Amino acid sequence: MTILTHPIAKPLSCRHHYLEELAAIIKLALPILVTQLGVSAVGFIDTMMAGHYSNNALAGAAVGSSIGFPCIIGLSGVMMAVTPITAQLTGAGHLKEIGPKVRQALWLGILIAALLFAVFWHMDTVLEMMKLDSEVIAIAKGYLVGLSLGLPAAAGYFVLKSYVEGLGDTKPQMIISVITVGFNYVANDILIHGKWGFPELGGAGCGYASGLTFWLFFFCILVYSLVNKQCRKAQVFSTLSLPSAKGIMEILKLGLPIGGTIFMECSIFACITLFIGVLGAIIVGGHQITLNYSGLVFAFPLSIGMSITIRAGHAIGRKDPEAARFSCLMGCALALGISLLTLTFTRLFSHEIVAIYTTDPVVSVIAVSLLQIAALYQVSDAIMTTCQGALRGYKDANVTLLLTFIAYWVITLPLGYVLAMTDLVVPALGAKGFWLSLIAGLTISGVLLLSRLCRVSSKHIKKKYRKGLA
């Protein structure tokens, strides 16, 4: 068998050279960061433009996105299994084995997208059970219908993006995200306000604009995958593979725990938004602003975590578990330092941040008070997210799913409901109660995942030396 060596998979010249490792992580993380900020900017644009249209438009778009985007992000999580699979094969120099696995991932993505499409079109009962204003329900339903039109493209994009990332190439997604931000803004402006002969859709127009944006994402990454020299070596599109139960199960075995973990993280925020919905459009608006800004900040640890997945995957592929652990620990330290900076920035400039989103004085007061609390959980969030990325590089996802479930659904949501909606412990705190519970949940999750990372990385090192002794 011919062994192809990818240049980024080569070991560090000095494994414990801290600056060299930090530079390698940052080189991978910066394009991912720009990409994540671009994706978050789409949500920012939706929130900002809907908020300036009307409070009901903002609330309807918030409810629609709280239902739709956790599902889409869960889809992206399942497809993220392609990254460590590709990374380990790249580290081992087996590029030609990547193509069949990517093709099976594409089949799986189409299947999941079809299921989500059916779900999005049948959300009437769920929306009515939320006891929201009828206008808000209509906007949320329209948002989900528009968003559903982009589901096939979203699935294809997530697969190809993860594949290119696994090769160690993170720049294409950065360029694509920059292009699509401008497109999304124009699409929102046209569809929300009904310009150029299009109907005035209000808050529902945000969903249609996001659906169209996913198609642009997909076509851009598809073109890159077809023309890039390194991508062509993997021969993803050299032949047509029929769906294979074995191939799809390999993706699902790793992808379901990853997707489940990410879905639980996102759906916890969705559930919180739904609980808060009964408090009125103004409270929901303030919460949505805080949530959207937190998503922008989240891009920093997420990009570092994804870069660690690649670094650790390449190291494991070339059978160098010491380098894998070193990359993971350096990435966690980098994320921790950045989180302290974002925490300070958020607390100092919360009024200025909220002013970008809305001019409504009542909504602004609520959003500022929530931002002051939300800033505090950024440290725990950074540790949790980078540890998840590191464990994905080891293909360790099942325990991560369990630990995340306990932290969020056993601790955060019940505690948040008690603090926010009841007088059992303190007088009902409203939205603040949920954000306080998130601090507790993310802290517990971060501690548990860091412990798991240390255990898994040590296990790989011991396994290597046992083989050497044998």
Side-chain angles (χ1 to χ4, degrees), residues 352-364:
E352 290 78 5
I353 293 168
V354 172
I356 298 173
Y357 287 90
T358 183
T359 56
D360 188 306
V362 180
V363 175
S364 296

Side-chain angles (χ1 to χ4, degrees), residues 396-415:
D396 185 89
N398 291 324
V399 175
T400 301
L401 176 64
L402 176 61
L403 296 179
T404 304
F405 172 78
I406 293 172
Y408 278 130
W409 292 92
V410 177
I411 298 173
T412 298
L413 191 60
L415 176 62

Side-chain angles (χ1 to χ4, degrees), residues 56 59 63 130-133 136 271-288 362-363 366 370 416-417 419-423 427-435:
N56 278 339
V63 172
M130 293 167 58
K131 299 179 181 180
L132 300 170
D133 182 83
V136 173
C271 287
I272 291 172
T273 300
L274 299 182
F275 279 125
I276 293 174
V278 299
L279 302 178
I282 292 176
I283 301 295
V284 173
H287 167 73
Q288 183 66 14
V362 180
V363 175
I366 295 171
L370 294 179
Y417 185 84
L419 294 176
M421 312 299 287
T422 74
D423 299 325
L429 298 174
K432 289 183 180 180
F434 281 111
W435 283 98

Side-chain angles (χ1 to χ4, degrees), residues 44 47-49 51-52 55 58 282-294 296-297 345-375 435:
F44 165 77
T47 302
M48 178 188 67
M49 299 186 75
H52 285 288
N55 284 336
L58 176 59
I282 292 176
I283 301 295
V284 173
H287 167 73
Q288 183 66 14
I289 289 171
T290 306
L291 184 58
N292 183 258
Y293 172 76
S294 298
L296 291 171
V297 174
F345 176 84
T346 303
R347 290 186 67 86
L348 289 176
F349 299 101
S350 56
H351 288 86
E352 290 78 5
I353 293 168
V354 172
I356 298 173
Y357 287 90
T358 183
T359 56
D360 188 306
V362 180
V363 175
S364 296
V365 170
I366 295 171
V368 168
S369 65
L370 294 179
L371 268 182
Q372 291 290 321
I373 300 173
W435 283 98

